[in-house]
Amino acid sequence: MTMNADRANCAIDWFRYARQIQKQQLRQLAQSGALASRICHLVHMLQCERGASNIWLCSQGRLYDAECRASRALVDEQRLALMPLLHDDPPLTSSALCQRIAAALWGLEQLPELRQRVQAQRIDAAEAMEQFSATIRHLLSIVPQLNDTLDDPRIVQPLVALYSLMQGKELAGQERALGALGFTLGHFSDALRQRLVDRIDGQQPCFDTFLSLSSAGLSDIFHTRCEATLEIEQLRRLACTRQPPQDQGENALHWFVLHTQRLEELRALEESLIDALMQTVATLLAEEDLPPISAAFLEPAGDALSLRPDNQLLPLVRQQARELEQLTAQLASLKASLDERKVIDSAKHVLMTHQNMTEEQAWQCLRKMAMDKNQRMVEIARALLTVKNLWQ
């Protein structure tokens, strides 16, 4: 009996130790929640500046001058608000997270030069859009790295949902920018039309993942407020199936306003999801370290994993294990996608440096090689980087 009591005390000590570690992780995640919210704000403002800059450049400065200046000011405001979260109490949970933050900050440091080129009209809209998009991509890549330790499905699930929503929203933002470009120019080239179609098609898988992991309330908000409206669908058909009329930019402005309204709704949904996640974190932090434990509670009850007299723990553990396995696979897929993008970006940089290509030309070159060889673009990119390393 004494031996059993000693074992029980040892087990309780380990339960308490595990709970202490979990609470440390939850407190870190609570701090990361503020960072995720600030990143969402900054990305939203960058998306606005990207779209407004497209219209301004394509109209040779006739349209959206005031909107460009306003969006720049808002981006700078959000960037200043982000810095204390990174410098005063940096979320040093992993080297991968630090690398993502470094890449994002590097992109933000290039903004003044990009803006100068935009204002002087020394850059075309497509190239400007790619530079804005690269910075946004680096910022978004921070989010999946904010939690690499907690495995509680109540945390993993909303984090994956949040990142999926942010990815879908970014594709919707790129759709706004690309459509604004074509409508302002008065025509859509085959390449521009294909890029627009790709962004439209790419949104649905992201939003489907978000919906599969979200509460009924958040799903209802998405369906009622965040779906593409009938007017957006009509303009999509005009852009994707035939050339728009020459209308002095009226369709471009209408397109931009409609998509801005949709992006604002998606932005509000992001905040709701972050708030719900932080409430879950607060609830878990407030839980007692251990429930009252009696000798009977610790006695074996038929199954070695069962610590509850009602024998319901094992089915619950198995169900949570299945859910966690699915969510972990989804998160791993999202991280793998980000890693592949990094490889493709590096290969594009090689082509831009050694072949004097623009970023769009480099992307099209990689895409053509992949189609010609019937391989994925990331495989072509890896092969190109291998060859490049042999040169050195």
Side-chain angles (χ1 to χ4, degrees):
M1 188 70 179
T2 304
M3 183 180 293
N4 286 337
D6 291 341
R7 287 179 179 176
N9 289 334
C10 180
I12 292 172
D13 289 341
W14 277 104
F15 276 127
R16 287 192 175 123
Y17 183 56
R19 183 62 178 144
Q20 289 172 6
I21 293 175
Q22 184 191 40
K23 283 198 170 185
Q24 290 174 357
Q25 295 169 341
L26 287 167
R27 281 190 286 269
Q28 179 65 57
L29 183 58
Q31 295 175 341
S32 298
L35 178 59
S37 178
R38 190 56 60 190
I39 288 172
C40 288
H41 277 87
L42 178 54
V43 164
H44 187 69
M45 292 299 104
L46 279 168
Q47 289 166 340
C48 291
E49 183 177 355
R50 176 180 60 192
S53 296
N54 265 13
I55 293 181
W56 191 86
L57 285 168
C58 292
S59 67
Q60 287 79 50
R62 291 185 299 104
L63 303 172
Y64 268 41
D65 179 62
E67 286 81 358
C68 282
R69 286 187 275 111
S71 61
R72 288 174 195 140
L74 290 171
V75 167
D76 290 341
E77 178 182 307
Q78 293 300 325
R79 180 171 54 174
L80 288 174
L82 175 66
M83 291 305 126
L85 297 177
L86 298 176
H87 295 309
D88 294 346
D89 191 11
L92 302 177
T93 58
S94 69
S95 61
L97 175 58
C98 295
Q99 290 172 357
R100 303 281 171 94
I101 291 173
L105 291 178
W106 183 87
L108 292 172
E109 289 169 0
Q110 310 311 306
L111 271 181
E113 180 183 354
L114 173 58
R115 288 169 173 173
Q116 288 176 1
R117 296 177 67 193
V118 169
Q119 287 180 291
Q121 297 190 35
R122 290 188 288 104
I123 186 172
D124 63 33
E127 185 180 353
M129 178 181 169
E130 288 301 323
Q131 291 195 35
F132 278 114
S133 298
T135 300
I136 290 171
R137 186 165 59 248
H138 289 315
L139 284 165
L140 290 178
S141 73
I142 294 173
V143 176
Q145 291 292 337
L146 291 177
N147 170 51
D148 59 358
T149 53
L150 279 165
D151 57 2
D152 191 319
R154 292 171 292 181
I155 299 300
V156 176
Q157 181 168 321
L159 269 176
V160 175
L162 173 62
Y163 183 65
S164 300
L165 179 64
M166 293 174 71
Q167 286 285 78
K169 177 174 177 285
E170 166 55 7
L171 290 172
Q174 290 187 29
E175 178 192 352
R176 176 179 64 178
L178 289 168
L181 192 159
F183 279 120
T184 305
L185 289 174
H187 72 275
F188 286 81
S189 66
D190 290 341
L192 178 58
R193 184 178 288 112
Q194 186 58 55
R195 292 178 68 195
L196 181 62
V197 170
D198 290 343
R199 270 57 175 189
I200 295 171
D201 291 344
Q203 294 171 40
Q204 198 57 49
C206 297
F207 291 139
D208 285 344
T209 299
F210 159 74
L211 291 169
S212 70
L213 300 174
S214 297
S215 66
L218 291 176
S219 296
D220 288 343
I221 291 174
F222 177 85
H223 288 306
T224 56
R225 301 181 186 176
C226 302
E227 297 275 20
T229 64
L230 177 60
E231 288 181 289
I232 288 178
E233 292 292 354
Q234 290 171 341
L235 287 173
R236 280 176 171 176
R237 286 195 292 271
L238 180 60
C240 296
T241 61
R242 59 185 184 274
Q243 294 298 346
Q246 299 290 332
D247 59 3
Q248 302 301 312
E250 291 180 9
N251 275 331
L253 298 179
H254 189 44
W255 169 275
F256 195 87
V257 168
L258 290 173
H259 278 78
T260 297
Q261 292 171 349
R262 184 187 183 207
L263 288 167
E264 291 291 344
E265 294 291 353
L266 287 167
R267 171 76 197 95
L269 186 56
E270 281 179 343
E271 277 300 302
S272 298
L273 190 52
I274 293 172
D275 288 344
L277 173 60
M278 290 301 99
Q279 289 174 8
T280 300
V281 171
T283 299
L284 293 175
L285 279 170
E287 287 180 353
E288 295 294 332
D289 285 346
L290 282 174
I293 297 178
S294 64
F297 184 87
L298 291 172
E299 285 295 323
D303 193 299
L305 292 178
S306 181
L307 296 181
R308 286 170 47 181
D310 56 8
N311 294 321
Q312 294 299 310
L313 182 60
L314 183 57
L316 178 63
V317 169
R318 287 173 175 167
Q319 176 186 351
Q320 289 184 339
R322 287 193 297 269
E323 292 174 353
L324 181 59
E325 183 179 358
Q326 294 172 352
L327 292 171
T328 302
Q330 290 173 336
L331 188 57
S333 175
L334 291 169
K335 289 183 178 179
S337 177
L338 287 172
D339 292 338
E340 289 184 0
R341 288 184 184 181
K342 185 176 179 180
V343 172
I344 292 172
D345 285 344
S346 298
K348 285 194 301 183
H349 180 72
V350 170
L351 292 174
M352 292 165 65
T353 301
H354 294 281
Q355 302 295 327
N356 294 322
M357 292 183 178
T358 66
E359 186 165 3
E360 177 64 21
Q361 290 171 335
W363 188 85
Q364 292 291 351
C365 179
L366 289 172
R367 185 181 185 187
K368 185 178 185 303
M369 287 191 289
M371 293 175 64
D372 290 345
K373 294 182 178 295
N374 196 27
Q375 292 180 315
R376 297 175 63 221
M377 190 182 294
V378 68
E379 294 170 352
I380 298 297
R382 288 195 181 104
L384 180 62
L385 293 175
T386 300
V387 173
K388 182 251 185 182
N389 290 333
L390 292 176
W391 295 343
Q392 296 177 340

